Amino acid sequence: MAVKSVIEAVREAIREEMERDSKVFVIGEDVGIRGGVFLATQGLAEEFGNNRVIDAPLAEASIMGIALGAAFRGMRPIPEVQFSDFVWPSVNQLIGEAARTCYGTNGAVPVPMVIRMPYGGGIRGGLFHSQNVETHFFHTPGLKVVAPCTPYDAKGLLKSAIRDNNPVVFLEHKKTYRLVRGEVPDEEYTLPIGKADVKRQGSNLTVVSYGLTLHYCLEAAEELAAEGVDVEVLDLRTLSPLDTATILESVKKTGRLAVVHEDNITGGVGAEVAALAAGQAFEYLDAPIARICGPDVPTMPFAQTLEDAYMPTSDKIAEGLRRLAAY
Amino acid sequence: MAVKSVIEAVREAIREEMERDSKVFVIGEDVGIRGGVFLATQGLAEEFGNNRVIDAPLAEASIMGIALGAAFRGMRPIPEVQFSDFVWPSVNQLIGEAARTCYGTNGAVPVPMVIRMPYGGGIRGGLFHSQNVETHFFHTPGLKVVAPCTPYDAKGLLKSAIRDNNPVVFLEHKKTYRLVRGEVPDEEYTLPIGKADVKRQGSNLTVVSYGLTLHYCLEAAEELAAEGVDVEVLDLRTLSPLDTATILESVKKTGRLAVVHEDNITGGVGAEVAALAAGQAFEYLDAPIARICGPDVPTMPFAQTLEDAYMPTSDKIAEGLRRLAAY
Amino acid sequence: MPRKPTTRTRANSSNGANSQAKLPKGLKASDLVDYYTRLVQARSLDERIWMLNRLGKVPIAASSQGHEAAQLGSLLAAEKDGDCFLFPYYRDLALKVAAGLSPVQVMMSFMGKAGDPYSHGRQFPLQGADLPHKIIQISNVVAAGLTQSVGYALACRMAGDETVVLVYFGDGATSQGETHEAMNFASIHKLPVIFICENNRYAISTPQSAQMVVEEVASRAASYGFPGFTVDGMDLIQCYEATREAITHARAQGPVLLEMMVKRFMSHTTDDDDRRYRPEGEVERARERDPVITFARTLIEEGMLTQKMVDEIAAETLRSTDEATDVADVSSPPDASNLHDSVYSP
Amino acid sequence: MPRKPTTRTRANSSNGANSQAKLPKGLKASDLVDYYTRLVQARSLDERIWMLNRLGKVPIAASSQGHEAAQLGSLLAAEKDGDCFLFPYYRDLALKVAAGLSPVQVMMSFMGKAGDPYSHGRQFPLQGADLPHKIIQISNVVAAGLTQSVGYALACRMAGDETVVLVYFGDGATSQGETHEAMNFASIHKLPVIFICENNRYAISTPQSAQMVVEEVASRAASYGFPGFTVDGMDLIQCYEATREAITHARAQGPVLLEMMVKRFMSHTTDDDDRRYRPEGEVERARERDPVITFARTLIEEGMLTQKMVDEIAAETLRSTDEATDVADVSSPPDASNLHDSVYSP
Ligand SMILES: Cc1ncc(C[n+]2csc(CCOP(=O)(O)OP(=O)(O)O)c2C)c(N)n1
Ligand SMILES: Cc1ncc(C[n+]2csc(CCOP(=O)(O)OP(=O)(O)O)c2C)c(N)n1
Ligand SMILES: [Mg+2]
Ligand SMILES: [Mg+2]
């Protein structure tokens, strides 16, 4: 096992799958000679040629529509959206078309495609380079949504996503790209889409999160451990389909639930997790469900002070958990 | 007071506001001589001229972007999206730009615009003419979202939306257009955005809904009344900003909450309402929170059998409420 | 590929008879008779469907009446070529019927029955996919199919196929940004795509003059450095020939834009009433060049058909339509349990 | 308005000196000296900002070096006209600076301080609105400003204004569908919009050849029946003159597309490293026509400036830049409580 960064894990997954299956190809802005603005596809154009690593014109709707059309013909495209903030021009193809293709053809036309998007804030990206877009895809039946937070998960899940016969929105938190490092097996492996992962066992309360904030939850959990509160940290990893069984099991065990995410609180993924518990684990709940999430302002502003004020940090999370434990 | 249909109320509201304020104008596909495909703007081109009722080319992104740009200059545009299903090509302008304009200019550029959209199913519209799109806008800070279900509410809220200095997504359920009729005052009135309405008082349980299903909830409530269960029916009317005070008050009173909507259950508005109650009225809850919502399939199929199977009908709602009351 | 394409308008035969004196290249007389029969069958179904809507048995329909020569002429070229894939749009009823569906299948689709070959009753009629006949149309969202068709062509090239893709759309669709994006990408990669614009000069009620300043959609091909032609879309043989040439060009050199000038005989859909916005007499005048009539006339003039045969075809297709209506009417709708199937692919 | 527009390429002075022997129409010598000063100030700030990025004080910047002649030439025309409104894009640093901001304001914006005049530190530098100088740029989402600018022009007409709108974008933005939609709508309504494409032949790493097949973006104006011109974007006076003419045309007859051929001297942004994808020597060659140098040369040749004055301007602007840097550096960031303000307008 070698220690790798998230971006390295992503790159390896793409490379290995392109090698394994000639139907896999990459399309996006600056993915070729530039290797993508985050270098996720660095070296791939050299290795696989410009026919399999296609530098598209600056037009997201066409990138998505062309990838989708190629999937109809049995290819396995990996369109890259340069920043998730720029996905909007393309969502008619994604939410309107790709998500409903299998259903709208009664299963005749599967859509094996992975839409990769760097997302999230904390990198001084301001209003248009920090966006959390997961909820829109989470709320779209027909899409799968994956949001890993470690190199190990990123690689295993991306490989599974590429082999999946459905449109998978694959969300890579930009701040984790180089910041988060971890062991990645040398040998081939995949991880199942739709399975949450207990990143920390605990008995007093359950925190559900994903992406960058998962790491902050782990830090907060350590803080609380020092105070004698044993926190279970559950990493959703896949948002859709949601692993309801694992969530409910943990909540039933601890009786206390907090949901943490960077995305705006109202109507976010956390609302669904809370609703799930309030509907199906009601008898087990010993306290109100807490949500420690991004406030309802349009994502993270540019100034450091404002970005910090937006972000659910480990301190803010610890404070929320403390209150929940004390209820 | 005269009895009117929802579509008549909508038309009257637009007409009156256009008369009152020369800055108000309509832009959309076929809104002029055709009067819109649902005739919401019938007669307006004749009355106000083609400069204030603009037949746009078939290009939703430009309709939204042009309306937005006009709002920058102080106009009060009312862009119409012919069916909500066709909003996707335009959401970069709506979610990306309009919603963040005020915030991104620190308040210097307000966006007085109302985006009207016929939405929802039950009219044999199939996968691409039945869409519930509210959640995507509900989850976008900077937008307001209004979804009335009676002619009275539609008129009063639409007039307020037109006078509001923010982008308001105004959702008109297609099936209510001609089906739902009700009294509308002859004199001028407006209704406040952000206020839910208790459409039926009750003491045993609270049902929260909006749009077409609100009517089905009222029917179900009558059924349950006959069985001795006194149901309070709360019409959100405005989804964003959500009237959390009214919801919590009702839940605290009844101790039992069901949320009903046509939109897909996972991550829908109902999840937020449930999470709200589970977070802020936890001690008052006597039963698990129930959600009676559209299933997680891409909206309503075309065939009658499939459409019926999708729809939360009054029977399905009554059954859910019965179970909740019996808990 | 010419870098400075010119827009060529093919001869417009104003009397409605086809200008071809001999058999078009690559065709036998039997092909034309066959296509005439398909045309009449499509028209018969189309008329019946409209009637069934008024009877409450068909919730919605978009008619292809007046567009059939464009649809069938291009289809004939695709069929003769033998390696084409089609991305039609919602008005391509005649195309989809003529591509090989049985009248019963067509009626099943319009009535939302389980036998609907496109979507098993999930979608609007004849929308979804008919893979046996090499057709995909995921939605009726205007212009959404264009980039998809370009992606399909890209994939064919990657897979080593020689397939040419034909994608259909109306004049209204040219306003959508994605139309620009699709043509631009196809031109950069010289992909074998034929963009077929069935220009009836209306997007529902919106006349061409409110949609664009240019006279000919085909002229926009210049923005992408590929050829664009405007042809008489009421003339099946002209449409066949133009498409056949375009297929050859597309396979060798990349995209072509074919604008086929057609007339919409009916309201936009069964939900529309075009008397609100259409000048009186316009449809009547347009019907003088009804392809069902003019094509028959040509075939009779050329000695490929007799009036008697024409009458027999009319009778036979009507019988099929009747029968199909009856069969579909009593057939089963999809089972409610199907609602939950195929949201995801295994 | 000409229905068949032609693309006219204005004379390209290959030696970098401006070809104008006399004062351009409508200008005084002092205007040119003034604009030269603004140009030098903008360049000085631009260079400093890049340096401050390397020092960790500016998180991100897009440089306008190499684009300044296009930006300032068109700005000068707008200013002389007196009734223009601007929708710039993220690369229009020089334009925004020259439009009237103080160097301190500029530095505040780049450092994300409360004194940022565009967004109070919420957005990327110089993004948001500068209404006192008639500028709006809501986002840096490529091409999003185009339809907005068209809507703004529509509103001006509704309000009875004579305002002409100038909207700026790069070659990359021409691939976006919205660019097509914006131009199409503007042409139908003959709106007073000037589409200014600053063509540096790159969208980040993607060369023009991978973005489009046509040589000149300006040729696409033909698709919308309005005039399109390609001008030398390294020549401030030529850009002034072309824009001045375009303003007159736009006000009377509707849209114009001006393609200004420029060179991007720097990497795409401070986050980019163009050595990955740019041929060696390209930037060096491009810098031979650096507008800061060529414009000074012209003004000296024309006797409007002396070398001494040029040196003084350089020293003075540098002093302003130094001072601005220091002032901004110690100024306050926005208060954290501001996070929640202005999500909605009252
Ligand atoms: C994106 C989108 N916007 C609006 C509609 C509603 N609509 C359906 S057809 C149509 C007009 C299309 O006109 P055109 O492309 O010329 O095709 P035609 O019907 O004339 O054959 C409109 C506005 C739609 N289906 N999709
Ligand atoms: C919709 C969208 N997609 C992608 C990006 C990322 N991006 C920023 S600038 C740029 C290239 C723009 O090139 P061009 O329009 O030629 O302008 P230039 O930077 O060359 O001046 C890209 C891809 C973006 N900002 N917006
Ligand atoms: Mg049309
Ligand atoms: Mg460029």
Side-chain angles (χ1 to χ4, degrees), chain B residues 76 191 248 287:
Chain B
R76 308 188 84 83
L191 294 172
L248 291 171

Side-chain angles (χ1 to χ4, degrees), chain C residues 50 54 60-63 90-91 264 267-273:
Chain C
W50 202 272
R54 299 318 191 213
I60 180 94
S63 163
Y90 57 81
R91 195 169 298 294
R264 200 186 81 198
S267 284
H268 173 67
T269 64
T270 45
D271 277 353
D272 183 37
D273 178 358

Side-chain angles (χ1 to χ4, degrees), chain A residues 58, chain D residues 67 89-91 169-173 197-204 206 208 211 262 264 268:
Chain A
L58 207 171
Chain D
H67 285 232
Y89 80 119
Y90 58 80
R91 195 170 298 293
F169 52 97
D171 46 301
C197 179
E198 299 179 30
N199 186 353
N200 60 17
R201 298 200 192 272
Y202 279 104
I204 307 187
T206 311
Q208 183 173 334
Q211 300 179 52
V262 295
R264 199 186 82 198
H268 174 67

Side-chain angles (χ1 to χ4, degrees), chain A residues 29-30 37 58-60 82-83 85-87 89 128-129, chain B residues 92, chain D residues 62-63 67 89-91 140-144 169-174 176 198-206 211 262 264 268-269:
Chain A
E29 293 157 14
D30 306 293
V37 295
L58 207 171
E60 284 78 9
Q82 200 165 76
F83 284 77
D85 311 64
F86 310 140
V87 74
F128 292 92
H129 290 81
Chain B
N92 185 52
Chain D
S63 163
H67 285 232
Y89 80 119
Y90 58 80
R91 195 170 298 293
N140 48 10
V141 177
V142 170
F169 52 97
D171 46 301
T174 66
Q176 284 285 23
E198 299 179 30
N199 186 353
N200 60 17
R201 298 200 192 272
Y202 279 104
I204 307 187
S205 71
T206 311
Q211 300 179 52
V262 295
R264 199 186 82 198
H268 174 67
T269 64

Side-chain angles (χ1 to χ4, degrees), chain C residues 14-31:
Chain C
S14 60
N15 63 358
N18 293 299
S19 50
Q20 303 303 120
K22 302 200 205 62
L23 272 174
K25 193 166 141 270
L27 292 187
K28 298 188 300 267
S30 59
D31 293 324

Side-chain angles (χ1 to χ4, degrees), chain A residues 151 193 196 214 231 317 326:
Chain A
I193 291 176
L214 194 282
V231 177
I317 296 166

Side-chain angles (χ1 to χ4, degrees), chain C residues 9 29 38 61 71 85 101 129 156 177 290 293:
Chain C
T9 305
R38 300 195 205 185
Q71 294 173 17
F85 198 96
L101 296 184
C156 288
D290 186 336
I293 296 168

